[in-house]
Amino acid sequence: AVNKSQAPPNWGVSPGHNPSTATGNLSEAFSPRVAAPPATLKRSSGAAITKFLSILPPKALFDMKHTSMFEFAHLVKMVIEYNSKVGAPEEVFKKIANAMIDDDEIQMSSATIRSLDRVEKLLGMVPRARHTKPATPVKVLYSQFLTKWRDAKSNFYRKAKAAKRKTVRNLLAYRNNELTDGERATKRRRKEDLKSKDEEARMALREERRRNMSTEEKKERRKKMLQAKQERIAKNKSRRRRVHEQREKQFQRWREAKLQEDD
């Protein structure tokens, strides 16, 4: 199981979640039911919904979550349809509609534009949403949190799975009396250190032996080196000659076979 104390900061929260979305859903659900409660609760509910629509700028809501424009437009449409129970002034709805249409930085999907067009028809406004607002694909709107939140989440779970695999390997090694990853790495580093030290010691011994050699020994050593070089050259020549002769024989056999086929 994943340790939630090490989880990302927005554990269990949808990307771009903000309280205004939850308040809008509550207002949308409560709008058709405003007539049922007592008069005092009815007035306070209508005033709360009106205040919520008045103080929330559409641009601020769009910056918090790009896809929230659809819920907000649908909320405005619902409140207008049940405005006889809510009692909100039409200026509030017109201000919201104009702000959503006039601001070019606010991007909307096709469904949001249709809801906004319905709002304009309910308010008796000149229809502008369908003719002035370009539709933005929903995939583009959802890409607002694609890089930051999803990458952070995938990185977290990738590291958690790697740590889990490492822990399981170490537990199995401990149970089977085998070396763990850390012990293998220590053994490998120790072997590399010993190998490098041995190579350095061998080079020091060769250098010391070379310095202590007499003139006759140096001549004999050069003579052996020259003889070994000549033997290598002769061996390579013999190998190349043998390979050439084999290729010549193969070519002659192939040539004779082709001549027989032609005859």
Side-chain angles (χ1 to χ4, degrees), residues 110-167:
S110 300
T112 308
I113 294 175
R114 288 195 298 269
S115 296
L116 197 57
D117 181 69
R118 176 62 178 168
V119 168
E120 291 177 332
K121 291 180 180 179
L122 290 174
L123 295 175
M125 299 173 59
V126 178
R128 294 190 301 154
R130 287 182 178 268
H131 306 289
T132 59
K133 294 294 292 187
T136 304
V138 180
K139 183 178 181 181
V140 176
L141 299 177
Y142 271 111
S143 65
Q144 176 189 9
F145 299 97
L146 186 63
T147 303
K148 298 179 181 178
W149 189 83
R150 292 184 183 275
D151 286 355
K153 182 178 178 181
S154 62
N155 291 336
F156 169 78
Y157 280 105
R158 185 176 64 251
K159 292 178 182 179
K161 289 181 180 178
K164 182 179 179 180
R165 286 195 300 268
K166 185 177 180 181
T167 304

